[in-house]
Amino acid sequence: MDALDRVQLQRLQATLEQRKAALLNQLENDAEAAETLATSVHELEASPADNASARTLNELVAEAAEHKTAQLRLVRHALDKFAGGNYGSCENCGDPIGLSRLNARPEARLCITCQTRMEKIRK
């Protein structure tokens, strides 16, 4: 499989930069929403049911933020690989990661063969 050309690399890097900006924006919005929710719950005399609902909602917001933070970590890692000149190479075997895989998941760290092998081990 051939290495990625300059245009493909630029497009993938731009996609990752857009994802990074979107994730940072979402995390900021989530933090503001959680703060607003916490303030509004504390301002009211809430029933036990309202408190339980607020706790559940806070847990869901926190879980979503953890997921977005993990995604952001992967995106930043991929962007760092551009700086190191090794973007598009599998971190396990060193072979090129296919363009179709990178188009679908530009933050991919492994080629499809190594990813499949790792998923089978996890099961």
Side-chain angles (χ1 to χ4, degrees):
M1 189 174 302
D2 294 330
L4 301 170
D5 67 33
R6 185 179 54 79
V7 173
Q8 292 166 331
L9 286 169
Q10 288 174 340
R11 187 177 39 75
L12 289 163
Q13 187 174 20
T15 299
L16 286 165
E17 290 290 355
Q18 290 171 350
R19 285 191 184 181
K20 177 182 162 186
L23 286 166
L24 287 169
N25 187 44
Q26 290 170 5
L27 284 167
E28 183 179 322
N29 290 341
D30 289 351
E32 290 172 5
E35 186 176 319
T36 301
L37 178 65
T39 302
S40 65
V41 168
H42 289 296
E43 289 176 357
L44 299 173
E45 270 305 305
S47 71
D50 289 339
N51 287 332
S53 294
R55 277 193 304 276
T56 300
L57 188 55
N58 283 336
E59 290 170 6
L60 290 172
V61 169
E63 187 177 316
E66 287 176 24
H67 179 71
K68 289 173 189 167
T69 300
Q71 287 179 318
L72 181 59
R73 195 171 18 260
L74 289 173
V75 168
R76 284 181 169 157
H77 179 75
L79 287 168
D80 288 344
K81 289 177 73 171
F82 275 98
N86 57 352
Y87 177 80
S89 296
C90 177
E91 293 180 9
N92 188 49
C93 69
D95 287 346
I97 299 172
L99 179 60
S100 59
R101 176 158 169 73
L102 290 171
N103 281 332
R105 297 191 51 99
E107 71 280 4
R109 299 172 74 168
L110 303 174
C111 67
I112 195 70
T113 302
C114 291
Q115 182 68 40
T116 302
R117 189 177 307 128
M118 183 172 292
E119 288 174 3
K120 284 180 182 178
I121 291 171
R122 287 184 189 163
K123 290 181 181 182

